């Protein structure tokens, strides 16, 4: 074994770095000198608490944690965690709501890494949560059983928020995995392991100087420094996430034992794959089985990163001890987790299963389209880019047709290795230019290692979720690279040819608030107030009949006109669902959308609306009401007279609507949680050129 003495020393928690060049950088916490005789004791591994159910509440907080005796470090954590966050358990097939509150004093987002869901629910850089604000992501869990994670994704703030500790695991269960004889007692024989490393200043705070802190000096295992864990002498499952900013790991055990890969990023592999070493790059997950049933209680072993002597471009292989590219862990084999073998539990498994599942992967012959993405160092610059193009939040870089099977080639230049991640899909790696695809990578993946100077090809199918306004991201998962622009975005569209391009041929995203009220809209609104609303008799998406007379016989009617592609309309819908819930006894909310039944159903599913919706593909009802399609709400009093038209939404307009409903129902006003609503009026996207803005009048 290479570096035996060094490794043993590191595993024992004894610093050997006194032999190395002293770290540079001002005020950085250095390793104690070997002559000090100080040995850092192991600390017991923290196991993140569990959150489960169909409604999950997460809040991101500033907090602190003690990593070093007698000192505290400022950190971020979700819920009560002092670093990192709870593990969220979800079941395949369930409709879930994940509600996130941002208690930071800067924007954040929460991205559900690896999950297949509508782009608007993805928590990428477009789904910003303002300081003090909240955001709800509702979706149906479609992924296979495996280990996923959540983390912040606000553009240019991702590295910072991750450095402070924001993140958490997601464990999905499904019927196939549940039937297998696999360890699944969380924290006992099924152990979540999140690895990352941090550099500290001498005052024990995290060093955060962007690219300078891509490599930490000290490994944290679930946020625990020098972690140890007691594991029963039986089959044990380790769910490992590389949550580093940039460092990769070459995983193995100190006694060089064989262990078994049972799941990759997006699900079980067909059968357990025996390995002695495997690389795990930033953002990647793997589930391992380790058989401890022949180990004696009292014995110990270590999970080790065999990172010394890697080829150029392996992140963390740079030999320096300090500076931008160095760290106290670079180019070393270091212990990641000290395992103390304990007595077996009563539910002990001892056999590696032979078969796990039968995956159907997309193959070459099914490919409808191909594209190549180059990871190139910007000409004359220092940052990385896709195809020399800087990242732009308002530009669509690629459009994929819904349902297509595509082959993507990631072409990495010779500058360095990267960790490529794509949202929305799980893919299958089909080839690597630098050799065969390792067996342990031959399962569902959402993140892959692109070594320096290599080409990697994967195949994915872009299914289920289309939107011409909400994009998915792809990027390098090294947060420092991502923040500096090694990111792009793609739309999955039902009809890519219909997307509007500007004169340069670029598809741009509309900004949400760039469509203020026009004088025409305002006079229309004023003209209609106090007139009798047009009657209608139609059916909702489920075929239940909706008649104007019946709807207005006893209750107020809130007609909500929806432009199907407008993100503002979608956001407002969730508020109107709250209105419906709060005023159920005195009003009915009905949505009217400019779409056919199939599209309308897909929209309703995406948004998770609970009120009836009328598909109005020819805009007949929309026209009858003189409504702009997006975010245009008409309140009709019992009996049928229009009370007021709300041409957009904001906390203020929703409060007004609420007050009017209370007045009409002769009830007291119901309190709605409106902290998510924009303070400024959002009028939506009428998809028509807008004349002069008149926003002020309705704010
Ligand atoms: Cu784990 Cu785009 O992210
Ligand atoms: Cu990168």
């Amino acid at each position: 074994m290479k570096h035996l003495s060094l490794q043993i020393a590191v595993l024992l928690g004894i610093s050997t770095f006194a032999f190395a060049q002293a770290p540079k950088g001002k005020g950085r916490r250095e390793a104690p000198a070997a002559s000090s005789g100080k040995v850092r004791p192991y600390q017991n591994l923290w196991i993140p608490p569990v959150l489960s159910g169909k409604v999950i509440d997460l809040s991101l907080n500033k907090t602190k944690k003690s990593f070093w005796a007698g000192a505290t470090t400022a950190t971020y954590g979700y819920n009560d965690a002092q670093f990192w966050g709870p593990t969220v358990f979800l079941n395949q097939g369930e409709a879930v709501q994940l509600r996130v509150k941002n208690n930071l004093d800067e924007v954040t987002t929460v991205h559900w890494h690896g999950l297949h869901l509508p782009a608007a629910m993805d928590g990428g850089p477009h789904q910003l949560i303002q300081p003090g604000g909240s955001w709800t992501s509702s979706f149906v869990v479609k992924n296979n059983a495996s280990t996923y994670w959540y983390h912040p994704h606000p553009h240019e703030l991702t590295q910072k928020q991750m450095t402070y500790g924001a993140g958490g695991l997601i464990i999905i269960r499904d019927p196939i995995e549940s039937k297998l004889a696999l360890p699944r007692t969380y924290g006992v024989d099924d152990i979540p392991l999140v690895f990352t490393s941090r550099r500290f200043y001498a005052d024990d705070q995290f060093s955060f100087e962007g690219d300078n802190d891509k490599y930490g000096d000290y490994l944290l295992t679930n946020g625990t420094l020098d972690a140890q864990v007691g594991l029963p002498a039986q089959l044990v499952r380790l769910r490992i996430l590389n949550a580093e900013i940039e460092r990769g790991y070459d995983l193995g055990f100190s006694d060089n034992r064989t262990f078994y890969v049972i799941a990759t990023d997006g699900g079980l592999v067909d059968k357990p794959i025996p390995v002695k070493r495997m690389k795990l790059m930033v953002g990647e997950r793997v589930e391992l089985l380790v058989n401890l049933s022949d180990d004696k209680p009292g014995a110990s072993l270590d999970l080790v990163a065999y990172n010394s002597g890697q080829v150029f471009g392996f992140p963390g292989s740079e030999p320096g001890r300090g500076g931008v590219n160095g760290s106290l862990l670079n180019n070393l084999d270091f212990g990641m987790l000290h395992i103390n073998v304990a007595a077996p539990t009563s539910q002990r498994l001892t056999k590696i299963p032979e078969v796990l599942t039968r995956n159907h992967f997309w193959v070459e012959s099914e490919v409808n389209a191909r594209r190549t993405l180059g990871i190139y160092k910007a000409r004359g610059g220092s940052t990385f880019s896709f195809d020399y193009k800087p990242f732009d939040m308002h530009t669509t870089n690629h459009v994929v047709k819904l349902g297509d099977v595509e082959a993507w080639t990631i072409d990495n230049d010779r500058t360095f290795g990267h960790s490529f991640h794509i949202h929305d899909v799980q893919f299958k790696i089909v080839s690597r230019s630098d050799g065969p695809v390792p067996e342990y990578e031959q399962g569902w993946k959402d993140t892959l290692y692109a070594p320096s100077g290599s080409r990697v090809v994967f195949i994915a199918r872009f299914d289920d979720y289309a939107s011409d306004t909400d994009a998915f991201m792809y990027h390098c998962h090294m947060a420092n690279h991502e923040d500096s622009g090694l990111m792009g975005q793609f739309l999955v569209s039902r009809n890519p040819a219909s997307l509007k391009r500007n004169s340069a041929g670029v598809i741009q995203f509309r900004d949400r608030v760039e469509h203020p009220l026009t004088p025409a809209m305002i006079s229309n609104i004023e003209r209609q107030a106090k007139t009798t609303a047009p009657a209608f008799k139609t059916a909702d998406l489920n075929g239940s009949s909706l008649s104007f007379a019946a709807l207005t016989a006893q209750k107020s009617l809130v007609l909500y006109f929806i432009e199907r592609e407008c993100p503002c309309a979608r956001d407002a819908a969730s508020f109107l669902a709250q209105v419906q819930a709060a005023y159920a006894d005195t009003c009915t909310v009905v949505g009217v959308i400019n779409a056919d039944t199939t599209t309308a159903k897909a929209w309703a599913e995406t948004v998770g609306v609970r009120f009836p919706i009328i598909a109005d593909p020819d805009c007949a009802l929309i026209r009858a009401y003189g409504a702009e399609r997006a975010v245009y709400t008409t309140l009709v009093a019992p009996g049928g007279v229009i009370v007021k038209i709300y041409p957009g939404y904001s906390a203020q307009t929703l409060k007004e609507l609420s007050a009017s409903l209370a007045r009409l129902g002769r009830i007291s006003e119901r309190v709605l949680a409106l902290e998510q609503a924009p303070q400024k009026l959002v009028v939506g996207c009428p998809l028509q050129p807008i004349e002069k803005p008149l926003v002020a009048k309705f704010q």
Side-chain angles (χ1 to χ4, degrees):
M1 196 187 303
K2 283 180 291 181
H3 300 274
L4 187 67
S5 59
L6 174 65
Q7 184 199 316
I8 287 170
V10 173
L11 296 179
L12 289 175
I14 301 169
S15 165
T16 58
F17 302 119
F19 303 116
Q21 178 198 339
K24 294 200 190 77
K26 98 178 139 61
R28 173 176 164 208
R29 176 183 257 278
E30 300 188 15
S35 59
S36 75
K38 269 198 193 158
V39 176
R40 295 203 308 262
Y42 288 118
Q43 303 186 37
N44 291 335
L45 178 73
W46 177 72
I47 302 286
V50 168
L51 283 180
S52 59
K54 295 187 183 173
V55 179
I56 303 281
D57 284 301
L58 291 170
S59 60
L60 180 56
N61 305 302
K62 282 188 168 187
T63 174
K64 50 186 188 290
K65 179 172 173 123
S66 175
F67 294 98
W68 303 97
T72 54
T73 304
T75 54
Y76 294 172
Y78 290 99
N79 298 6
D80 298 327
Q82 296 179 333
F83 180 91
W84 200 243
T87 299
V88 174
F89 278 78
L90 300 176
N91 294 314
Q92 190 187 59
E94 273 181 11
V96 294
Q97 263 194 7
L98 284 78
R99 308 190 295 203
V100 188
K101 175 94 203 292
N102 175 13
N103 290 331
L104 302 183
D105 44 25
E106 62 188 20
V107 293
T108 190
T109 79
V110 182
H111 168 55
W112 321 109
H113 180 127
L115 268 52
H116 177 51
L117 37 68
M121 300 297 155
D122 194 37
H126 293 283
Q127 284 89 47
L128 286 179
I129 315 172
Q130 297 301 323
S134 336
W135 174 68
T136 300
S137 174
S138 355
F139 56 91
V140 174
V141 180
K142 299 228 180 183
N143 287 72
N144 295 326
S146 199
T147 308
Y148 304 85
W149 62 305
Y150 58 93
H151 62 76
H153 213 310
H155 184 44
E156 295 176 326
L157 286 171
T158 300
Q159 185 189 354
K160 177 186 173 190
Q161 295 182 5
M162 282 190 179
T163 295
Y164 282 104
L169 289 176
I170 299 173
I171 293 179
I172 295 183
R173 305 263 200 227
D174 73 13
I176 294 177
E177 189 271 343
S178 299
K179 286 197 194 84
L180 296 170
L182 289 174
R184 60 172 69 76
T185 310
Y186 181 80
V188 176
D189 61 5
D190 183 350
I191 312 293
L193 291 174
V194 177
F195 293 108
T196 189
S197 60
R198 292 292 177 273
R199 175 172 290 180
F200 292 82
Y201 289 120
D203 65 359
D204 299 301
Q205 301 310 303
F206 287 139
S207 167
F208 180 70
E209 294 164 17
D211 199 44
N212 195 39
D213 292 305
K214 57 178 170 261
Y215 299 133
D217 289 331
Y218 298 94
L219 188 81
L220 300 177
T221 306
N222 299 352
T224 309
L225 191 68
D226 306 309
Q228 67 174 355
V229 68
L231 295 180
Q234 64 200 50
L235 210 57
V236 166
R237 180 185 199 160
L238 305 180
R239 300 175 183 262
I240 303 183
L241 161 67
N242 179 334
E244 288 274 7
I245 301 301
E246 179 161 340
R247 186 189 309 284
Y249 304 123
D250 196 356
L251 300 174
F253 284 88
S254 51
D255 58 2
N256 211 29
R257 74 176 57 204
T258 299
F259 53 99
Y260 298 84
V261 172
I262 56 165
T264 51
D265 299 337
L268 294 165
V269 291
D270 288 357
K271 47 177 190 282
I273 298 158
V275 286
K276 287 187 181 223
R277 292 281 187 279
M278 65 160 299
K279 294 195 172 70
L280 194 73
M281 295 295 151
V282 178
E284 290 185 304
R285 288 88 63 210
V286 69
E287 290 181 24
L288 306 179
L289 287 185
V290 188
N291 200 345
L292 299 178
S293 54
D294 293 333
D295 293 77
K296 301 253 165 323
S300 65
L301 69 156
D302 292 86
L303 177 63
V304 177
Y306 288 95
N307 281 12
S308 67
Q310 298 286 344
V311 299
F312 169 78
F314 180 96
S317 66
E318 303 94 316
R321 293 280 161 264
V324 178
N325 295 321
S327 83
L328 299 181
L329 293 177
N330 274 28
N331 194 32
L332 289 178
D333 300 342
F334 55 87
M336 306 178 81
L337 178 68
H338 185 65
I339 298 168
N340 300 306
V341 181
T345 67
S346 55
Q347 278 152 23
R348 98 193 259 259
L349 296 168
T350 56
K351 258 192 60 204
I352 307 285
E354 259 154 44
V355 181
L356 298 168
T357 187
R358 263 184 71 179
N359 285 302
H360 168 80
F361 297 111
W362 314 112
V363 293
E364 277 290 344
S365 59
E366 294 168 286
V367 169
N368 307 103
R370 292 169 193 282
R371 59 191 86 218
T372 298
L373 274 67
I375 301 182
Y376 305 138
K377 190 155 175 158
R379 293 186 180 110
S382 60
T383 53
F384 298 105
S385 70
F386 282 107
D387 301 313
Y388 301 115
K389 291 189 194 98
F391 173 68
D392 172 19
M393 288 282 278
H394 288 94
T395 299
T396 307
N397 302 93
H398 292 270
V399 181
V400 174
K401 187 170 187 321
L402 179 70
D404 268 6
V405 176
E406 294 211 353
W408 288 34
T409 301
I410 309 305
D411 179 28
N412 188 14
D413 70 12
R414 303 200 163 272
T415 319
F416 205 66
H418 296 277
S419 195
F420 177 89
H421 169 53
I422 183 170
H423 292 205
D424 181 29
V425 293
Q426 290 289 332
F427 56 73
K428 172 76 161 63
I429 302 174
V430 293
S431 74
R432 288 185 168 280
S433 65
D434 59 338
V437 182
E439 225 195 319
Y440 64 75
E441 273 191 338
Q442 299 194 20
W444 292 113
K445 297 282 296 164
D446 54 54
T447 307
L448 62 78
Y449 180 35
S452 186
S454 76
R455 290 165 73 90
V456 193
V457 183
F458 68 78
I459 298 181
R461 180 171 171 149
F462 295 78
D463 240 344
D464 301 325
Y465 303 115
S467 167
D468 288 350
T469 53
D470 293 289
F472 290 108
M473 319 307 288
Y474 56 84
H475 54 94
C476 175
H477 216 289
M478 297 168 175
N480 49 325
H481 293 176
E482 172 190 334
D483 276 351
S484 66
L486 187 46
M487 178 151 73
Q489 45 194 343
F490 64 100
L491 289 171
V492 178
S493 174
R494 286 197 170 75
N495 185 4
S498 70
L499 291 169
K500 288 195 187 60
R501 291 172 185 270
N502 68 13
S503 54
V506 174
I507 299 166
Q508 285 180 303
F509 293 111
R510 282 191 299 268
D511 229 321
R512 283 172 183 228
V513 283
E514 68 189 12
H515 304 284
L517 288 174
T518 63
M521 287 165 83
I522 290 177
S523 63
N524 176 25
I525 288 162
E526 283 163 356
R527 197 166 354 116
Q528 288 190 69
K530 317 235 163 29
T531 63
T532 303
F536 56 85
K537 211 169 161 55
T538 181
D540 73 4
L541 296 178
N542 304 320
S544 315
S545 77
L546 291 175
S547 98
F548 179 78
L551 287 166
T552 54
Q554 309 286 338
K555 294 182 179 184
S556 305
L557 172 64
V558 174
L559 276 174
Y560 173 46
F561 296 96
I562 303 160
E563 156 53 43
R564 62 171 187 261
E565 290 295 355
C566 174
C568 318
R570 182 195 59 227
D571 292 352
S574 76
F575 291 105
L576 285 158
Q578 291 178 38
V579 169
Q580 175 68 95
Y583 293 94
D585 48 354
T586 183
C587 95
T588 315
V589 174
V590 175
V592 182
I593 186 167
N594 62 334
D596 58 39
T597 307
T598 316
T599 312
K601 278 187 175 159
W603 187 92
E605 196 205 323
T606 302
V607 176
V609 289
R610 304 276 184 272
F611 48 78
I613 289 191
I614 298 168
D616 190 25
D618 311 322
C619 298
L621 197 52
I622 290 168
R623 270 201 212 101
Y625 272 79
E628 299 282 345
R629 290 164 295 186
V631 198
Y632 202 83
T633 305
T634 299
L635 172 59
V636 182
V641 170
I642 292 176
V643 178
K644 186 160 178 157
I645 292 163
Y646 301 88
Y649 84 110
S650 65
Q652 188 52 37
T653 54
L654 291 163
K655 267 186 216 143
E656 279 179 30
L657 176 61
S658 174
S660 305
L661 283 169
R663 222 175 301 123
L664 288 168
R666 297 177 205 286
I667 54 171
S668 56
E669 217 176 310
R670 311 275 160 89
V671 183
L672 299 177
L674 293 177
E675 81 255 19
Q676 286 186 70
Q679 293 309 304
K680 256 183 91 171
L681 187 71
V682 174
V683 176
C685 312
L687 302 185
Q688 268 153 30
I690 296 295
E691 304 149 39
K692 239 173 144 192
L694 273 176
V695 179
K697 188 164 178 181
F698 281 84
Q699 282 208 347

